[in-house]
Amino acid sequence: MEPIRILVVDDEVDFTEMLCLRLKEVGHLADAVHDGEACMSMLDQKPYDVLVLDIRMPGMDGLQVLRQIKSDHISTEVILLTGHGSTETAVEGMKRGAFDYALKPYEFTELLEKIQEARAVKKEREERIRKAEERSRMDRLEKNIRF
């Protein structure tokens, strides 16, 4: 199994350390940051497949970070995870492009399944884009050969 590149974004340091440790134990690559600005900086430095993003954080909150990610790093899937959730927050997060929404305390196996599902969606989308680009190149080649 190919490891999933995961970025955990939460202002609770103990939570992020424990979650990253558990994700690494099952074979994935996990990093943690503790605010939205650091999240955007990490995304600019290296690609991640899936973000586990807290909603309530100092500075940029999770919904602001999600909006920025869907603008600048559109292929990254985001799972919102919060201890202060509401139906309105969940709806708003999904409208802004989150893959899914989960509440703390979480069941690790359920969160891991969501991460795997998010990664599968990302890979399918990337494969469709690759095939479309390949078709476009073939169409251009065919067009050039005819003339």
Side-chain angles (χ1 to χ4, degrees), residues 48-96:
Y48 288 92
D49 299 310
V50 179
L51 259 74
V52 177
L53 177 63
D54 189 15
I55 291 179
R56 285 196 181 174
M57 296 183 293
M60 290 175 75
D61 70 24
L63 294 177
Q64 291 172 316
V65 174
L66 175 61
R67 181 183 311 134
Q68 191 69 37
I69 290 168
K70 291 303 171 186
S71 169
D72 298 347
H73 304 278
I74 194 163
S75 69
T76 304
E77 292 295 339
V78 176
I79 297 170
L80 296 171
L81 182 65
T82 185
H84 310 283
S86 68
T87 305
E88 293 81 22
T89 309
V91 169
E92 186 61 31
M94 299 305 279
K95 281 182 179 176
R96 291 184 187 192

Side-chain angles (χ1 to χ4, degrees), residues 7-73:
L7 181 60
V8 179
V9 186
D10 195 307
D11 60 334
E12 295 178 40
V13 175
D14 291 343
F15 169 76
T16 59
E17 288 177 3
M18 184 58 68
L19 181 54
C20 284
L21 184 65
R22 294 193 72 189
L23 290 167
K24 289 175 183 175
E25 284 175 351
V26 295
H28 300 299
L29 305 171
D31 293 316
V33 293
H34 306 290
D35 61 58
E37 289 81 11
C39 169
M40 298 313 298
S41 177
M42 285 290 279
L43 284 170
D44 288 340
Q45 294 172 32
K46 64 189 215 186
Y48 288 92
D49 299 310
V50 179
L51 259 74
V52 177
L53 177 63
D54 189 15
I55 291 179
R56 285 196 181 174
M57 296 183 293
M60 290 175 75
D61 70 24
L63 294 177
Q64 291 172 316
V65 174
L66 175 61
R67 181 183 311 134
Q68 191 69 37
I69 290 168
K70 291 303 171 186
S71 169
D72 298 347
H73 304 278

